[in-house]
Amino acid sequence: MVKIYKALEKYENKTEPAHTVSSAKSNTKLNSTTGSVPSPAEPPKPIQKIYTLDKNLVVYHEPMSYAAEQFRILRTQLLFPRNAPSPQTIMVTSAMQGEGKSFTASNLAVCMAQSINHHVLLIDCDMRRSSLGRIFGFGKVNGLSDYLTEKRTIDEILMKTAIDKLTILPGGHLPANPAELLSSRRMTDLLQELKERYSDRLIIIDTPPPQLTADASALVGQVDGILLVIRHLKSNRKHVEHVAEKLGKEKILGLMLNYFDTPFQRYGGYGYGYGYYYGEKDSPKSKRQKS
């Protein structure tokens, strides 16, 4: 009887159905043709965009730094001016290249987007040296120039950034006639539409230096105010005064003194070799700015 029982047990083990794997841990079914275990079906993973934000976005990367705090002060002074309405459209420009206007415009936009009540649109009108697409991790993409030459629609060029409540409109591909495009009826209509689309939206416009091109001058009449960026120990005072006269002193909201090395920074250890100062156009510090 023992031999018969063992024989039956051996036979049952041999005749176990070939389409299952029996074990204490698994009942996985085998492929009936190949005998292999098929991979479980997985839903396709959504493609995620990876935004590499420029390290110079100090308001985002180092919110507790001295530089970030200066942008918050600047935000407050711009949004709550004394004896004047709060501007909805702000042009950011400089007297010459290399003074930090795009850096200032992008950090100011991030700072304003971080406030409670505001959505922000940052427009790159410096189509000759477009940089905002790179700063916010999009690279070289279609933008303002492609819209103004009627190659793209507005919804195709507005780019939602990785920062909540901040949208950018990149400069796009280099056109042959940027000044003419910025002074066109299509540009005027675009700004009007963007201002009316959202009543709580702030618009910051990065423009090239008016000393070098006519691009900025074409937009002066369409903005509420101008923030003029100057670089400590580099900007020429006569150039700054000329730009202020050209753009209209009544339009200038204030000056942003960039790369200002303060004792607090030198010994405070925040890791920056430069600083920021925001002052009204008639402030004593701005008058002491050297050529």
Side-chain angles (χ1 to χ4, degrees):
M1 290 292 294
V2 175
K3 290 182 180 181
I4 295 174
Y5 177 82
K6 288 184 177 180
L8 289 172
E9 187 180 45
K10 187 176 181 181
Y11 175 78
E12 289 174 355
N13 289 337
K14 281 185 178 182
T15 57
E16 186 177 3
H19 62 278
T20 62
V21 176
S22 297
S23 70
K25 296 183 179 180
S26 175
N27 287 318
T28 306
K29 297 204 172 190
L30 297 175
N31 187 296
S32 58
T33 305
T34 64
S36 62
V37 180
S39 300
E42 295 183 359
K45 294 182 179 179
I47 298 175
Q48 295 182 346
K49 292 182 179 179
I50 300 176
Y51 302 104
T52 304
L53 300 178
D54 191 279
K55 64 180 181 180
N56 287 320
L57 287 173
V58 292
V59 173
Y60 177 80
H61 290 296
E62 301 185 48
M64 303 305 294
S65 66
Y66 174 79
E69 183 60 28
Q70 299 312 297
F71 277 107
R72 286 190 284 269
I73 294 173
L74 173 59
R75 175 186 65 190
T76 300
Q77 293 182 334
L78 288 174
L79 294 180
F80 305 100
R82 290 177 295 178
N83 305 319
S86 180
Q88 183 185 5
T89 53
I90 301 171
M91 176 193 294
V92 180
T93 191
S94 59
M96 300 296 290
Q97 289 179 356
E99 295 180 324
K101 65 173 183 59
S102 296
F103 166 81
T104 300
S106 54
N107 274 282
L108 179 60
V110 172
C111 190
M112 286 186 165
Q114 290 175 342
S115 65
I116 298 174
N117 299 320
H118 294 95
H119 285 74
V120 181
L121 173 62
L122 177 60
I123 304 177
D124 192 345
C125 286
D126 192 352
M127 293 181 283
R128 290 180 173 88
R129 298 168 62 91
S130 178
S131 62
L132 297 185
R134 173 190 57 78
I135 290 173
F136 287 93
F138 296 103
K140 191 67 177 177
V141 291
N142 292 315
L144 180 62
S145 64
D146 304 283
Y147 172 80
L148 295 178
T149 54
E150 302 187 31
K151 296 177 181 177
R152 292 289 185 274
T153 66
I154 183 62
D155 292 329
E156 290 177 312
I157 58 174
L158 290 174
M159 312 292 290
K160 178 63 180 173
T161 71
I163 297 166
D164 190 34
K165 298 190 296 182
L166 176 58
T167 302
I168 70 166
L169 201 169
H173 298 89
L174 178 63
N177 55 343
E180 288 76 11
L181 291 176
L182 289 178
S183 59
S184 66
R185 179 68 185 181
R186 189 168 172 82
M187 181 66 192
T188 302
D189 292 342
L190 171 64
L191 283 178
Q192 190 64 31
E193 178 186 348
L194 292 173
K195 284 190 285 187
E196 293 177 354
R197 184 177 287 195
Y198 301 103
S199 59
D200 66 338
R201 170 180 277 172
L202 295 170
I203 300 176
I204 299 175
I205 304 174
D206 178 12
T207 61
Q211 285 278 94
L212 305 179
T213 72
D215 303 11
S217 300
L219 295 171
V220 171
Q222 303 182 60
V223 299
D224 298 327
I226 300 168
L227 179 65
L228 188 57
V229 179
I230 58 178
R231 181 164 178 170
H232 184 54
L233 299 180
K234 180 178 179 180
S235 297
N236 184 289
R237 182 170 181 170
K238 291 183 179 180
H239 289 166
V240 174
E241 291 176 347
H242 179 71
V243 168
E245 292 286 347
K246 186 174 183 178
L247 297 177
K249 290 184 178 180
E250 71 283 354
K251 279 278 189 176
I252 296 180
L253 301 171
L255 305 178
M256 177 72 170
L257 182 58
N258 199 11
Y259 286 83
F260 183 62
D261 187 17
T262 66
F264 177 77
Q265 284 179 282
R266 280 197 297 268
Y267 304 111
Y270 277 86
Y272 292 96
Y274 51 85
Y276 310 87
Y277 167 75
Y278 172 74
E280 295 180 353
K281 54 181 176 293
D282 297 325
S283 70
K285 286 189 177 182
S286 65
K287 289 182 178 179
R288 289 200 299 269
Q289 173 64 29
K290 297 181 180 180
S291 300

